[in-house]
Amino acid sequence: QVQPVESGGDSVQTGGSLRLRCSLGRVIYGITCMAWFRQEPGKERKGVAAIDSSGGTTYAESVKGRFTISRDSATNGLTLQMDNLKPEDSAMYYCVQDRGCSSRTAINDPGRFRYWGQGTQVTVSP
C-alpha cells in the first residue's frame, strides 16, 4: 500500500465531534512528518495539523484548541480528533507523510507530498 487510506468522515451539526483515522501504509524510517490537509471544492488544499517524528505538532490557527493530531507508530496510523466543529470545517480531509521534514514545514507545503489518498468527507451543518 502506497497511498494513505482515510476514514471517519461524516455529517455532524455545529459543535459536534469527529475522529478521523488514517492508515499511512508504507513505513518511512528516520526523520518523518505526517499531516492532515483539507480541501473545499474549487479551493486550494490547506494544512490543518501536522506532527513529526520528534513529537512536535503544528496546527492551523483556525483549528487550534479544537483539533488534536496524534500518531500510532506501531500501526503507522494517524488520527485527527476534531471537537467543537464549525460549518467552515466542512471539506475533504487527506492525510500524508514524508521524510526529512518537521511539522512546521509539513503544514505549509502540500507540494512536498507525493502520495495522496481518496480523502474522507466532513460536513458540518449550522
Side-chain angles (χ1 to χ4, degrees):
Q1 173 192 344
V2 178
Q3 272 84 11
V5 178
E6 303 91 346
S7 63
D10 205 344
S11 296
V12 297
Q13 293 186 328
T14 296
S17 296
L18 284 175
R19 179 183 290 263
L20 303 186
R21 289 183 170 82
C22 168
S23 174
L24 290 161
R26 65 192 182 107
V27 176
I28 299 177
Y29 296 97
I31 298 172
T32 60
C33 63
M34 302 172 181
W36 286 95
F37 285 81
R38 65 187 181 189
Q39 186 172 25
E40 300 173 67
K43 296 187 177 181
E44 291 185 348
R45 204 163 283 181
K46 294 183 179 180
V48 176
I51 187 168
D52 54 47
S53 51
S54 67
T57 57
T58 302
Y59 294 91
E61 285 296 324
S62 60
V63 307
K64 278 184 179 178
R66 301 187 298 120
F67 289 13
T68 303
I69 188 172
S70 60
R71 61 183 295 185
D72 184 339
S73 299
T75 63
N76 202 32
L78 193 65
T79 299
L80 184 68
Q81 176 66 38
M82 306 189 296
D83 298 316
N84 191 21
L85 283 161
K86 304 176 181 180
E88 51 264 42
D89 294 320
S90 297
M92 187 71 79
Y93 283 71
Y94 303 88
C95 63
V96 287
Q97 64 172 342
D98 197 11
R99 61 167 53 90
C101 46
S102 68
S103 63
R104 187 169 298 180
T105 57
I107 202 171
N108 292 308
D109 188 10
R112 73 174 300 125
F113 299 100
R114 180 177 179 184
Y115 299 106
W116 295 79
Q118 296 299 309
T120 187
Q121 179 68 41
V122 172
T123 303
V124 185
S125 58

